[in-house]
Amino acid sequence: MERRSMSSRSSSVQSHNGGEEADDSDTMQLLLPGNDQMKAEELVLNTHPNDDHVDDGDGFYGDDDANARILVENRALQHPQRNRSRRNWIAFWIFGLCNNFGYVIMLSGAHDILKKLDPTLGTGAILLADILPTLLIKLFGGPTLIYRMPYILRLLIVVGFAILSFILVGCAKNVSVAMLGVVCASISSGLGEISFLSMTSCYHKGVINAWSSGTGGAGAIGASVYLGLTELMSPSQAQFAMLFIPCLLLVSYFFLLSHRPVSIISTNLKESQPFSFKEKVAMTKRLIFPYMLPLFVVYWAEYAINQSLYENLQWPDFKKLSTAQQYRTYQLIYQIGVFVSRSSRTVFTLDHVWWPALVQLINFVVLFCDARYHFVPSIYIHFVWIFFEGLLGGLAYVNAFALISKHTKSEHREFSMTVASVGDSFGISVAGACALGINKYLKKYNQ
């Protein structure tokens, strides 16, 4: 195959896509000599034109040749051959499942933890302990310290804190130890989320759908497993039964991924800052209104419902489930809704994520009024309503990050994924603080 024919084919691909695609073969001619270059060219040209390009018209690579080389190497390995694509999809699904598993278990067991140790505290206290460390990591650790660590070191920290969280909560004899365990789960989940989201930039774009589906699966499977285990053993014993879950992260990383991820940012940090302060501000500003603000709104409303209203939407006269079982069932139904919607990207997509956020606000207002005045006639209506609540949150999450991946240049994708994830964490944190006051207000009228 002649080099000239390859270049002409590359030009036709670019023309076919309205001139918005960058010509990758030109970059590779500069960086990959001989047969390696030809193989890389073939891989890019055989890749679906919408898989790895962006539509912002700004071109593909920056001025830094080191950035370009890493992008070419990663993207040559992104070629969606069936076996590699399937393995990476499964790996990222497991990453999402295991990374969020501890977070879900702590929220599902919030009522049990506080009932045993301090019934006067509302479950909003558990939510704050489960999200504030995550928010701090995303705000301060992600853009500075975290990117100095290679992916494998981050992964080992994630696994270590996850295991420690289950041990501490399972052994807790007082609220302080239990809260420390919840904080460890939050550190694990927060560091894992920014690491795995940024890692998606090193693979085919389909892994974002896999990650989102896995995080939704963590909710549904985690809540189901906790509900089932607490019927067979004590809540403390159920915590110990989860200890093997974090180890699956290591199995997926070492045995399922088709290649080891190479971070542009961590590589460049060895020599200098990859982006100037002005560039970071510009990238962040582009994310605020279309993605970060709606994520904040939808997750504020969602977790204000979960951690302040569920406790006040209980039915003492419902004989089939105790009030504790009702709370766990609400959590399970909500997580099933999240799982369904986070797995829906391949069949249902959104071009904007504002409408789920606004509808979720309406959900909060109506359910708050019901928690105060109790006008809903049946618990089964609550079941359906809570499932719908989960659907809205999952839709906003999966579509927001898929759209960021689609509309962001490849060398900016790691940074953008991390920054955008602050939106949902900040919304959850504010919801946790509000939940303490809301719960106190509602309990005064429901006693």
Side-chain angles (χ1 to χ4, degrees), residues 225-261:
V225 168
Y226 185 79
L227 182 63
L229 287 177
T230 51
E231 295 297 316
L232 302 174
M233 59 186 73
S234 70
S236 295
Q237 292 171 327
Q239 296 284 340
F240 290 117
M242 312 289 182
L243 285 173
F244 75 96
I245 296 293
C247 300
L248 295 178
L249 290 170
L250 295 174
V251 174
S252 296
Y253 185 87
F254 287 108
F255 298 104
L256 283 177
L257 288 178
S258 61
H259 64 279
R260 296 288 176 266

Side-chain angles (χ1 to χ4, degrees), residues 5-314:
S5 65
M6 293 294 299
S7 300
S8 64
R9 285 176 61 195
S10 178
S11 301
S12 67
V13 171
Q14 183 178 8
S15 175
H16 177 71
N17 287 283
E20 295 180 348
E21 311 292 352
D23 190 345
D24 300 314
S25 61
D26 291 342
T27 305
M28 283 184 241
Q29 286 176 3
L30 295 174
L31 298 174
L32 298 177
N35 293 334
D36 290 337
Q37 177 200 324
M38 297 297 290
K39 291 177 182 178
E41 286 179 339
E42 287 186 60
L43 287 178
V44 171
L45 291 171
N46 287 328
T47 301
H48 190 282
N50 289 327
D51 281 345
D52 293 304
H53 296 275
V54 293
D55 56 8
D56 57 5
D58 293 333
F60 215 84
Y61 301 110
D63 297 328
D64 191 341
D65 284 348
N67 283 3
R69 175 176 288 279
I70 295 171
L71 285 171
V72 169
E73 290 172 352
N74 276 334
R75 295 181 64 212
L77 290 165
Q78 285 174 9
H79 178 57
Q81 294 175 346
R82 185 166 298 176
N83 60 335
R84 281 183 174 177
S85 181
R86 185 182 296 114
R87 285 172 56 194
N88 291 332
W89 198 99
I90 294 171
F92 274 89
W93 195 92
I94 294 174
F95 288 156
L97 172 73
C98 298
N99 186 72
N100 282 29
F101 206 86
Y103 173 82
V104 169
I105 293 300
M106 300 308 162
L107 292 184
S108 297
H111 190 271
D112 294 322
I113 294 170
L114 295 179
K115 183 179 179 181
K116 172 187 173 184
L117 301 174
D118 190 350
T120 61
L121 281 176
T123 55
I126 298 291
L127 176 60
L128 282 176
D130 209 12
I131 193 61
L132 281 179
T134 292
L135 178 62
L136 293 175
I137 287 173
K138 291 180 179 180
L139 282 175
F140 303 110
T144 54
L145 300 176
I146 303 303
Y147 283 130
R148 297 183 184 276
M149 303 180 188
Y151 281 123
I152 182 58
L153 178 57
R154 298 187 225 174
L155 181 64
L156 292 174
I157 295 173
V158 167
V159 172
F161 273 100
I163 292 173
L164 185 60
S165 71
F166 290 128
I167 293 174
L168 287 174
V169 175
C171 294
K173 301 298 182 183
N174 57 64
V175 172
S176 298
V177 175
M179 287 297 187
L180 180 60
V182 176
V183 167
C184 288
S186 180
I187 293 172
S188 173
S189 178
L191 176 58
E193 183 176 9
I194 63 174
S195 298
F196 292 124
L197 277 173
S198 63
M199 196 188 294
T200 62
S201 65
C202 303
Y203 298 88
H204 187 261
K205 283 189 177 181
V207 300
I208 295 176
N209 298 336
W211 160 265
S212 298
S213 177
T215 58
I221 296 171
S224 301
V225 168
Y226 185 79
L227 182 63
L229 287 177
T230 51
E231 295 297 316
L232 302 174
M233 59 186 73
S234 70
S236 295
Q237 292 171 327
Q239 296 284 340
F240 290 117
M242 312 289 182
L243 285 173
F244 75 96
I245 296 293
C247 300
L248 295 178
L249 290 170
L250 295 174
V251 174
S252 296
Y253 185 87
F254 287 108
F255 298 104
L256 283 177
L257 288 178
S258 61
H259 64 279
R260 296 288 176 266
V262 180
S263 171
I264 297 172
I265 298 177
S266 64
T267 300
N268 288 345
L269 275 173
K270 295 176 182 177
E271 301 177 357
S272 62
Q273 287 292 332
F275 305 118
S276 68
F277 177 77
K278 185 177 180 180
E279 287 175 318
K280 291 178 180 179
V281 171
M283 285 187 283
T284 302
K285 284 173 64 177
R286 286 195 291 267
L287 297 170
I288 291 175
F289 185 79
Y291 308 115
M292 296 175 69
L293 193 55
L295 282 173
F296 170 85
V297 171
V298 73
Y299 275 91
W300 178 87
E302 191 169 319
Y303 278 83
I305 293 170
N306 293 3
Q307 303 308 128
S308 64
L309 303 187
Y310 283 2
E311 295 176 82
N312 297 281
L313 296 174
Q314 295 180 345

